[in-house]
Amino acid sequence: MPATQTVPAAARMFLSGNDAVARAVWEAGTRVAAAYPGTPSTEILEVLSRYAGLHTEWSVNEKVAMEVALGASMVGARAFCAMKHVGLNVASDALMTMTVTGTEGGLVIAVADDVGMSSSQNEQDSRYWGRFAHVPVLEPADSQEAYAMTLAAFELSERLKSPVILRLTTRICHVKGVVQTGERVEVEPKGFVKDPRHWVMVPGNAKPRLPSMFEREAVARAEAEASPLNFRIEGSDRRIGFVTSGPTFMHVRDAFPDAPVFKLGLSCPPPLESLRRFAATVDTVLVVEETEPLLETEMKAAGIACHGKDVLPRIGELAPDVLEPAVRRLRGEAVPEPEHVPAQQVFPRPPTMCVACPHLGVYYTLSQMRNVIISGDIGCYTLGAGHPWNALDTCISMGASMGTALGMDKGRGKADENKKVVAVIGDSTFMHMGMQGLLDITWNRGNVTVLLLDNRAVGMTGGQDNPGTGRDIHGEETARVDFAKLCEALGVKKERIHVLDPYELPVLFKALREETKIEEPSVIITNRPCVLIDHYEPATSYTVEEDRCTGCGNCVEVGCPAIHVTRRDKVVKASGKEVDLSFVRIETSACTGCGLCVQPCAPEAIVHARPVQSVQSVQFVRK
C-alpha cells in the first residue's frame, strides 16, 4: 500500500489524522504543498511547513492552492493541497478541468468534511466530488490509515494520471493514534512537456480528452475491485452485514463486534461486484455512511438490496449510541424509550470574542446605530451576530458580505429605502473572495459602506499569516498588502477610504455615521492586531472603582469577557420607568488595557490598575 521507501524507519509516533497526512505527504517526496486555513484541515499545512525539502504556502484561497498544486504536477513533481469541505466548492472550477487534463506528478487533494458542523456553515459530503469529477476517493478510518492512504494516493494518482481525493472528517483530523512511519523518498520531477492538446483546455482540445477520462475511470473501477484498501471482515452474527467507510467503520466495529463488515478505503469508484458478493452472505445489508445516502443509492441502482438512510439519520456523526437503537429497530426488536432524566442545568457559555478583541468596538458601535442592515461574512467576527451586540444580519459564505450587500442595495423597496447598508469583512476573507465583490460594488455604483477588519491574522483558524501581514507560512518577511491602496485600485474614491483605530469609539462612530450618509461606496479599515498573535502589545490593565460604579451597564454592552456582572438591581426613575442596573468588576489579570470599556463608562468608575509584586503572587491595586 505505501510508496516504496528507502531504509524504512521503525518510528512509532502519536499523531492526529492531520499530523499523519502531513508526515505522509513529506515522506512521499512531495515538492509543493498549498492550502488555505480552514477547520478541520488547517493543521495539515501548519505541520507540513515544519518539514524541510518542499515548498509550502498559505494560498489566498483554495482555488489558487489547487492551481499551484496542479502546476507542480504539470512539471512532474508530486504535489498536494488541503482544504475543508466548503473550500472544495471554491476550488471546483480548477478540479473539474483538471479531471479532463489529468495529471503528471502525483497530486493528492485532502478535503476535510465537518460532519456535525462543529465549525462550519453547512454539512457537506465531499464524496460527491469524486463522482462528479470522475476521480478516485480514499477514506481513512484512523490516523494510521490517514498516513498509509496518503502514500497510496500518490501512487494511485501516478498510475491513473489523475488527481486523488483524500476524504477526511473532523474525527479523523483531530483524534490521535499511534502511527508507524517511514522515511522520505526523493522523487525527481520529469520536467514539463509542451503539449497544447494536453494542457490548453479550449473546446477543440478538451473534447478529444473526454474519452480518456472515462477510460481512466474504468481502470479505477477495476482497481477498486482488487484493492487491498477494500476488504471484508467476517462475523458470526450474519443477521446484518455492514458496509462502511471512514470513521463509521470504527463505530460499527465498536457497536457490533460480531457482525460481518465490508470496509471501503477506496470508496470511489465503489467495488460493486465485491459488495454484491458480500451482500449474498448476510441476511440484510446496512450501509453506514456520513452523511448522504451516496453509496446506498449506487448499490440499489446496481440491484443490491440494502438499507441506509431509511434507518439512519442523514445529519451528524453515526456514533454507537446512534447505531445501536437503529439496528435494533431494523432487526424488529423493541427499543425501550430512554428514561426521562431532567437535564442538568449547565451555566450557559455562548461563544464570544476574546478580551480586547479589536472587533468588539466595531460591533458595539454598530449596535448603537439605527436603520442599518449589516451584511456579514465568515470569520471570528461572525460572532457579532450574538449577544450583546446582535449586530450582524446575514452570513452566507466567504466573501458573500460584498455581493449580498450590493444585492440588498439594488433590490430594496420602500420598506428599506431609508436604511443604510453596511458590509463587514475580515482581512483574510477580503483577499480570499471579497476583492471581487468590492470591485462589483464600485463598478455597479452600489451604495454600500464596507468595514474591512484588518486584525493581521486569519483569526478564526488560529492566527495564520496572510498577504496582509507581510509574513509567509514560515514567518519570513514578504510583500504586504496595503489595503487602502488596494481598495482605491478597486474603484473606491480615495476620500471615501478611512484607516482608523477600532479602540477609539468616537472616531469609529463618527466615520460610520458620516460614510453611511454618503450614497456611494466607502471603506473603513480598522487596524488593530488580533490579541492572540505575537505582534499584539497589551497595555496597562483596568479595574473598577466599586464605590463609583452606578450600574449603568454601558461597559457590559461592549461585550468584553473580562467584564463580569457581580450584582443586578432595578430602580424606578421619577418618570416611572423601570431601569435594570448591572454592577461589574473587571478580571484584571485578563484585561489587556484596550480601553474600550472606559469610553462608555458614564461615572468614570473604570481606572487603570497597577501591578504590585508580592512574594506569593502578583496582586493589583487601584491607581
Side-chain angles (χ1 to χ4, degrees), residues 151-162:
L151 293 173
F154 280 103
E155 292 200 340
L156 181 60
S157 173
E158 289 174 345
R159 283 201 304 275
L160 298 179
K161 297 295 182 184
S162 166

Side-chain angles (χ1 to χ4, degrees), residues 248-270:
T248 58
F249 168 72
M250 298 298 190
H251 297 321
V252 167
R253 292 295 289 164
D254 185 25
F256 306 101
D258 298 325
V261 180
F262 194 103
K263 180 185 182 300
L264 292 166
L266 173 51
S267 64
C268 178

Side-chain angles (χ1 to χ4, degrees), residues 165-185:
I165 292 175
L166 183 73
R167 192 246 187 167
L168 309 169
T169 69
T170 301
R171 184 168 293 273
I172 299 300
C173 291
H174 292 161
V175 172
K176 290 191 174 184
V178 176
V179 178
Q180 184 76 37
T181 64
E183 294 182 348
R184 179 172 167 89
V185 253

Side-chain angles (χ1 to χ4, degrees), residues 87 525 623:
I525 304 168
K623 183 175 178 181

Side-chain angles (χ1 to χ4, degrees), residues 123 125 127-128 289-295 309 314:
E123 189 178 55
D125 193 333
R127 296 178 302 158
Y128 275 106
E289 52 187 333
E290 296 171 342
T291 53
E292 298 288 342
L294 179 54
L295 183 61
K309 296 305 180 183
R314 292 183 62 165

Side-chain angles (χ1 to χ4, degrees), residues 82-106:
M83 59 204 69
K84 66 185 294 181
H85 60 292
V86 288
L88 189 50
N89 301 339
V90 177
S92 61
D93 190 18
L95 174 67
M96 297 305 291
T97 301
M98 190 192 309
T99 189
V100 179
T101 65
T103 56
E104 285 300 319

